[in-house]
Amino acid sequence: EMQLTESGGGLVQPGGSLRLSCVVSGFSLSTYYMNWVRQAPGKGLEWLASIHTDGTTAYAPSAQGRFTISRDNAKNTLYLQLTSLKSEDTAMYYCALDSLGYRRGQGTQVTVSS
């Protein structure tokens, strides 16, 4: 069974940073195209970033320059480094096997507030 387990969220002040992790099981991370998506209160899922099996990355405009997606295949772990956080980044963050977020984990909450 494929499982995705996110962690690393929390409460952070504007301008702060967090690193989110997603441990996968039931498959090899190195063979999958992986994504991060988020859902803010009252809004739909928003794609943030993806990383291909060759390491190529892509970012949504809202994430470009502030967020960095990476992975450690040996640890079967996907990461999302968040920097320069803003209040509008407050959301539940998910790792996902597809860019629409249909196959995603349970999520980790990020709250940006002073």
Side-chain angles (χ1 to χ4, degrees), residues 3-111:
Q3 288 192 332
L4 309 172
T5 305
E6 302 92 338
S7 63
L11 174 63
V12 62
Q13 293 186 342
S17 299
L18 284 173
R19 188 176 79 158
L20 309 183
S21 299
C22 171
V23 177
V24 309
S25 60
F27 65 101
S28 176
L29 183 65
S30 64
T31 62
Y32 272 80
Y33 161 76
M34 297 296 297
N35 299 265
W36 284 97
V37 299
R38 70 183 179 186
Q39 187 166 28
K43 297 188 177 181
L45 286 169
E46 175 190 13
W47 172 77
L48 293 173
S50 63
I51 184 165
H52 292 263
T53 55
D54 65 357
T56 303
T57 59
Y59 297 92
S62 59
Q64 185 75 49
R66 297 190 302 128
F67 299 172
T68 304
I69 188 172
S70 62
R71 67 173 183 233
D72 185 332
N73 292 333
K75 296 182 178 179
N76 249 11
T77 302
L78 181 73
Y79 301 101
L80 186 68
Q81 179 71 46
L82 310 176
T83 64
S84 302
L85 284 163
K86 309 172 185 179
S87 58
E88 51 263 44
D89 294 318
T90 294
M92 186 71 79
Y93 285 70
Y94 305 90
C95 60
L97 292 168
D98 60 280
S99 61
L100 295 179
Y102 290 144
R103 297 180 294 169
R104 63 183 187 270
Q106 292 301 305
T108 186
Q109 177 68 38
V110 172
T111 302

